[in-house]
Amino acid sequence: GENVEQHPSTLSVQEGDSAVIKCTYSDSASNYFPWYKQELGKGPQLIIDIRSNVGEKKDQRIAVTLNKTAKHFSLHITETQPEDSAVYFCAAAEDNYGQNFVFGPGTRLSVLP
Amino acid sequence: SQTIHQWPATLVQPVGSPLSLECTVEGTSNPNLYWYRQAAGRGLQLLFYSVGIGQISSEVPQNLSASRPQDRQFILSSKKLLLSDSGFYLCAWTGARTEAFFGQGTRLTVV
């Protein structure tokens, strides 16, 4: 089955700097890769996703890149702000088979003012 | 727009007591529904998923059960809670596309 690894487990950056979180997956059948942000005591919120027919997707300060050959994808946050502090999860799934979602263990991002 | 409701937000239950957590989805029909558990500082573990009324698949053997009595209602239950059942429980749904949307979670503490 699918296995998703995520690094680093914790990340501290200064406000205004960039943050990068990386994930690797094992199942070449996976073709959908979402990223979730979870604030303390709340459910995860989808912030960006990418499908395997594209290599990069950007939404304002966040972007995701995908390397299908190497089976890894990354979340990039630019111009970080204190409100970006949260736990971020990556996941991999085979499109149209939501029950196959496999989540990474999470990265706790702290943006220091 | 679609919304997902999950309650209660927090729950403290004694060992051996029953459990019922409820999740409902609005604004969509025939969603796939999921229950996840998140241990403190850990990732998300899929417990159950359902592709339709009365159809439940379990991912891990455990002390919990799930039911789907209506199209947009998903219930997580236990007859007798264990200390190890403590955690943060999340309900989620997916529709025609694979994007998963989560409820706000229930923090369960078994004492």
Side-chain angles (χ1 to χ4, degrees):
Chain A
E2 177 65 274
N3 180 53
V4 176
E5 297 184 353
Q6 183 173 347
H7 300 280
S9 57
T10 60
L11 179 61
S12 293
V13 299
Q14 290 295 133
E15 182 177 358
D17 288 350
S18 295
V20 180
I21 303 170
K22 298 181 179 180
C23 287
T24 61
Y25 63 101
S26 60
D27 189 348
S28 57
S30 293
N31 54 9
Y32 173 66
F33 307 94
W35 285 90
Y36 288 85
K37 176 184 180 182
Q38 185 177 26
E39 297 177 342
L40 190 63
K42 297 185 177 180
Q45 280 193 306
L46 178 67
I47 56 172
I48 196 167
D49 57 14
I50 192 168
R51 286 179 162 82
S52 59
N53 57 341
V54 298
E56 183 174 0
K57 185 176 179 181
K58 189 173 182 180
D59 183 3
Q60 299 182 352
R61 294 188 298 109
I62 59 173
V64 57
T65 58
L66 171 65
N67 183 325
K68 282 178 55 179
T69 303
K71 294 196 183 71
H72 65 72
F73 56 110
S74 300
L75 177 71
H76 305 254
I77 307 174
T78 59
E79 300 173 23
T80 53
Q81 301 167 4
E83 51 265 38
D84 294 329
S85 296
V87 178
Y88 291 82
F89 292 97
C90 63
E94 189 175 348
D95 218 346
N96 299 321
Y97 289 92
Q99 58 268 33
N100 290 341
F101 267 103
V102 177
F103 286 86
T107 296
R108 182 172 299 278
L109 173 65
S110 299
V111 179
L112 308 174
Chain B
S1 63
Q2 302 89 359
T3 57
I4 180 169
H5 302 281
Q6 188 180 341
W7 68 93
T10 60
L11 192 59
V12 180
Q13 292 283 102
V15 169
S17 64
L19 173 73
S20 181
L21 303 182
E22 189 162 344
C23 172
T24 60
V25 180
E26 295 178 357
T28 187
S29 58
N30 197 32
N32 292 335
L33 296 172
Y34 310 84
W35 280 111
Y36 285 86
R37 177 166 56 202
Q38 185 176 27
R42 303 288 293 278
L44 299 163
Q45 179 188 35
L46 179 62
L47 301 176
F48 300 96
Y49 69 89
S50 171
V51 298
I53 295 174
Q55 300 179 62
I56 308 294
S57 296
S58 174
E59 289 296 298
V60 293
Q62 57 200 300
N63 183 43
L64 302 168
S65 62
S67 62
R68 185 169 177 174
Q70 300 180 44
D71 181 46
R72 289 171 288 177
Q73 184 185 28
F74 205 23
I75 297 172
L76 184 68
S77 304
S78 173
K79 292 182 179 179
K80 289 186 177 182
L81 283 169
L82 307 172
L83 286 174
S84 58
D85 291 324
S86 294
F88 193 51
Y89 289 84
L90 289 158
C91 180
W93 73 273
T94 60
R97 291 172 64 85
T98 311
E99 291 93 338
F101 298 95
F102 287 85
Q104 288 300 292
T106 296
R107 181 158 305 283
L108 171 66
T109 304
V110 183
V111 296

